[in-house]
Amino acid sequence: MLRSTRHSTALARCGFRRNFYSGTLGTKRSTLRSKALVATSCVAVAIALGLSRDTIQNDAPAINPKKSVPTPSGSSLVSNNDSLEAVVWGSNKNHVLSSSSDETTPIKRPELSPILSNTALRDLAVTEEYGVCVDARGDIYQWGDGFSGQLARSDRPPRPQKTLSGKDISSVALTPNKVVALSKKSGKIYILSSKQNQQDTQKPSGSWSLSKLWTSSNTEVDYIELQTNVKLHRSEKFTSISTGKDHLVALTSSGRTFSLPLSLSGNSSGQLGLRKVSVRSDSSSPSLADIELTPKAARDPYATATPYIRTSQASQEDTVSQPAVASSVEQSKLPKDDDIRFCTTLYEIPTLQGIKVAQIVAGARATYARTEMGGRVLAWGANEYGQLGLGPTVTLPHVSVPTEVVFSKTAPSGTASTCTNIAAGPGDIVYFLVQRKTLGTSNRAFDVLACGMGQWGAIGNGLFTNAQGTPSKVKLVSGVQEFHEQDQTLRPLEIYNISTSDTGHTLLTLDTAARTGPGANAGRDLVAWGLNQDYQLGNGKRSSLPTPIYLTNDEGNRVALQVKEAPVSDMSGKLWSRKAWVEQTAVAGPGCSVVYWKLRT
């Protein structure tokens, strides 16, 4: 976490005097006993390569920061005490970062969050208008003006409000109108409204049963449980979810992929991987109707052309503005986009049947799938900014068929590239974490590749580029190695986490805590780049950055995200565990950034 200036001297005792090199981005942090080494290679991607993090502890002296005093930029609140404080900075115009005042001006420097204090969470996500978190018990809490409405300061809840409970939720994914939640134990997926005034509990229809009575007594809001169009295997359950602006994708424990439209625009760019779905035919009726959500490009191939080469321009525009639905359903009778019962069935993606997928991720209007075998990536959906990564020869604005992304052009000859992770936020940019291995040797390196809309520098290649169709290396964090004193060798430095926002800034966490030897407990370095209009990069400035920078404190030491054991309470303040492993996690939201304590699973 981030610490006040008067405690910054403890950073040196927490391991900041360590031997670390990272190409041109890093600087020599201490004097080696024998000779200086400078690294030139790769940032890591594969977190699941057997690196142990279970014994990492924090050895900084205990401190007791005043919670009422904001902390200055880049400082660290790392401590050995039991305090678990979140730190926030950036846009606060809808009171997502702080509800303690009526001020909606940006938070210029990282400060303690009164909303997420003294707790560790399973998951956290924020949009421009509201925030959602999952506490240690698996209950969902919501806050922000988009949730509670524009309330006066005296009426504004000081803490997040519990909404969905009793479902053992492990993760959440958000859209402007809906919250999608995944149950850890059962693997079930639930949807509830993002607005408090639309969460009035509805009594279950049909006959009463013990199960319905139990379900009703364990939740405070109206919600739905999603079904599937095909039967899952006996032990199969959903393990991950991801949302774009208008669509949801989900992955099962067997590697099967499913998608669902969250509004009539849920397949505007072909991001679903299918077209025909069933929706409610009337907002007041439970009956279903089959509709076909046809991508814009299929309805009007000249949608992006000039008026001079379009035929029947007026009629074309009318066609594109409305989804193609079954003739038996009137447009006026279709449910509204913010209706949580718009579509309640997850559909298996036909073109991916028989392909075991390890990860599926939704961009704003695109979808990416990483195969379990070979680490190959398939992408489909919107491609106006080259966000599918299909290269300069694919200039189609929309691709509705899963198409392979080729990484060999970014690697030297004689190497094999394998994608180990995909990070795509609700915007038009995607990051591929790729491992390169030299054929016939054990040498490996790691790259962070980006493509899509880089108008504010989110590509990280030193340029402000509107469109980037070929995956490009993020400069200064691709090709990083560090020196290990224990065995006197250079090793690739891995990536621990990456989070990107729809407004164009990215937070990347380096896995520096996994090292052995001096400085091993100093924590994970935090790197940021991209849009900085609302001070979301945490450096106290507003100029956007097209290349990554380390977050540093006033003394020039790097901010380090910590791992420790501590007592954990739920959001209501009740003790959940007397001792649990927690780690600081960085989240990039729309115009803002949050560092919170996350429970390690």
Side-chain angles (χ1 to χ4, degrees):
M1 219 201 241
L2 306 176
R3 186 189 305 169
S4 61
T5 302
R6 64 192 183 93
H7 300 123
S8 60
T9 55
L11 288 171
R13 294 191 293 273
C14 192
F16 274 98
R17 293 178 181 173
R18 63 190 184 204
N19 297 327
F20 180 77
Y21 301 86
S22 58
T24 56
L25 177 62
T27 57
K28 184 165 33 170
R29 311 307 293 269
S30 65
T31 303
L32 291 175
R33 298 175 182 175
S34 56
K35 58 181 179 179
L37 295 175
V38 179
T40 56
S41 286
C42 224
V43 183
V45 182
I47 296 173
L49 293 179
L51 293 176
S52 174
R53 306 183 185 93
D54 293 337
T55 59
I56 299 172
Q57 298 187 30
N58 177 13
D59 59 353
I63 57 174
N64 295 295
K66 296 180 180 180
K67 299 178 178 58
S68 59
V69 180
T71 62
S73 175
S75 303
S76 177
L77 287 172
V78 178
S79 66
N80 263 339
N81 63 10
D82 295 337
S83 176
L84 299 175
E85 302 290 346
V87 177
V88 296
W89 62 92
S91 174
N92 189 43
K93 62 181 179 181
N94 288 298
H95 299 100
V96 175
L97 300 186
S98 175
S99 59
S100 59
S101 70
D102 289 321
E103 292 294 330
T104 57
T105 56
I107 299 175
K108 297 182 180 181
R109 298 188 178 275
E111 66 179 45
L112 296 177
S113 169
I115 296 177
L116 302 171
S117 60
N118 298 316
T119 189
L121 306 172
R122 292 187 180 185
D123 197 17
L124 178 141
V126 294
T127 69
E128 186 177 7
E129 297 186 345
Y130 71 98
V132 177
C133 71
V134 183
D135 74 352
R137 298 189 189 278
D139 297 332
I140 289 180
Y141 287 76
Q142 297 175 237
W143 68 94
D145 293 348
F147 167 66
S148 58
Q150 297 289 341
L151 299 178
R153 179 179 178 182
S154 58
D155 299 328
R156 191 179 303 138
R159 297 278 289 178
Q161 302 297 297
K162 181 163 67 174
T163 53
L164 186 64
S165 64
K167 299 297 182 185
D168 191 29
I169 301 302
S170 61
S171 61
V172 291
L174 312 181
T175 72
N177 298 312
K178 299 171 184 177
V179 178
V180 185
L182 173 66
S183 173
K184 178 180 179 181
K185 184 177 181 180
S186 66
K188 295 180 179 179
I189 300 175
Y190 305 95
I191 297 182
L192 61 153
S193 175
S194 64
K195 299 176 175 60
Q196 190 174 29
N197 59 8
Q198 296 183 13
Q199 292 183 347
D200 295 335
T201 304
Q202 297 183 2
K203 294 182 179 180
S205 59
S207 60
W208 283 91
S209 66
L210 182 60
S211 62
K212 287 186 177 181
L213 181 61
W214 175 258
T215 300
S216 177
S217 65
N218 278 274
T219 185
E220 292 77 30
V221 300
D222 181 29
Y223 71 95
I224 61 167
E225 177 188 327
L226 296 181
Q227 306 298 320
T228 56
N229 70 323
V230 294
K231 189 176 181 180
L232 298 182
H233 304 317
R234 185 173 182 179
S235 59
E236 186 178 18
K237 65 178 183 180
F238 286 102
T239 56
S240 70
I241 55 175
S242 181
T243 56
K245 185 178 179 181
D246 297 289
H247 76 295
L248 162 71
V249 292
L251 180 68
T252 73
S253 55
S254 298
R256 290 202 287 174
T257 54
F258 291 76
S259 63
L260 173 145
L262 294 170
S263 74
L264 289 174
S265 301
N267 200 38
S268 59
S269 300
Q271 61 265 45
L272 282 182
L274 50 94
R275 292 190 185 183
K276 293 183 178 179
V277 296
S278 295
V279 300
R280 295 176 65 193
S281 59
D282 193 296
S283 59
S284 61
S285 171
S287 61
L288 299 177
D290 293 331
I291 66 172
E292 184 171 342
L293 298 176
T294 307
K296 292 180 180 179
R299 281 179 274 144
D300 181 11
Y302 301 100
T304 59
T306 63
Y308 299 99
I309 63 173
R310 292 174 60 91
T311 58
S312 305
Q313 180 187 9
S315 62
Q316 291 281 8
E317 289 178 351
D318 291 340
T319 302
V320 173
S321 64
Q322 301 292 343
V325 300
S327 58
S328 60
V329 181
E330 296 182 14
Q331 187 76 26
S332 60
K333 290 187 177 182
L334 289 172
K336 296 181 180 179
D337 287 350
D338 59 355
D339 187 347
I340 63 173
R341 291 172 176 80
F342 170 80
C343 181
T344 61
T345 302
L346 285 159
Y347 293 85
E348 186 173 10
I349 300 176
T351 52
L352 297 184
Q353 290 181 5
I355 300 176
K356 195 167 185 179
V357 174
Q359 182 185 15
I360 188 164
V361 177
R365 295 165 297 121
T367 306
Y368 309 87
R370 175 171 60 88
T371 64
E372 186 173 274
M373 183 175 294
R376 302 167 72 177
V377 174
L378 301 172
W380 64 99
N383 194 44
E384 302 100 321
Y385 304 103
Q387 60 262 49
L388 296 185
L390 302 180
T393 59
V394 180
T395 58
L396 297 173
H398 309 285
V399 178
S400 57
V401 178
T403 306
E404 184 172 2
V405 181
V406 179
F407 301 112
S408 59
K409 294 182 179 179
T410 63
S413 58
T415 61
S417 298
T418 302
C419 182
T420 58
N421 196 10
I422 304 171
D428 294 313
I429 190 167
V430 62
Y431 297 95
F432 303 107
L433 308 184
V434 177
Q435 176 182 269
R436 291 186 288 108
K437 186 175 181 180
T438 304
L439 299 178
T441 70
S442 60
N443 298 333
R444 58 192 178 99
F446 301 93
D447 288 332
V448 182
L449 306 180
C451 56
M453 205 278 281
Q455 181 178 354
W456 298 288
I459 299 297
N461 59 358
L463 302 173
F464 296 95
T465 308
N466 280 349
Q468 176 70 38
T470 301
S472 173
K473 289 183 182 180
V474 177
K475 285 188 175 181
L476 309 179
V477 294
S478 291
V480 180
Q481 291 183 336
E482 64 175 349
F483 181 77
H484 282 241
E485 286 191 351
Q486 188 175 20
D487 54 10
Q488 297 291 299
T489 61
L490 287 171
R491 297 180 186 176
L493 182 60
E494 299 193 22
I495 296 288
Y496 189 76
N497 185 46
I498 183 169
S499 177
T500 183
S501 71
D502 58 349
T503 52
H505 84 287
T506 301
L507 301 176
L508 182 146
T509 307
L510 294 169
D511 198 16
T512 48
R515 64 157 57 90
T516 58
N521 298 329
R524 301 185 177 101
D525 293 330
L526 185 59
V527 179
W529 70 92
L531 183 66
N532 199 25
Q533 183 177 354
D534 293 310
Y535 304 93
Q536 57 262 52
L537 296 187
N539 61 353
K541 302 177 182 179
R542 300 192 72 173
S543 56
S544 299
L545 300 174
T547 54
I549 61 166
Y550 281 113
L551 268 68
T552 60
N553 66 2
D554 296 335
E555 295 183 350
N557 293 322
R558 297 173 184 171
V559 168
L561 305 186
Q562 299 295 311
V563 180
K564 67 179 180 180
E565 273 189 315
V568 174
S569 299
D570 59 20
M571 289 292 290
S572 66
K574 295 181 180 179
L575 184 65
W576 175 77
S577 175
R578 295 187 181 277
K579 184 178 289 187
W581 280 104
V582 294
E583 59 187 6
Q584 289 181 303
T585 301
V587 173
C592 66
S593 300
V594 181
V595 174
Y596 73 100
W597 289 95
K598 183 174 183 177
L599 284 164
R600 296 187 65 178
T601 56

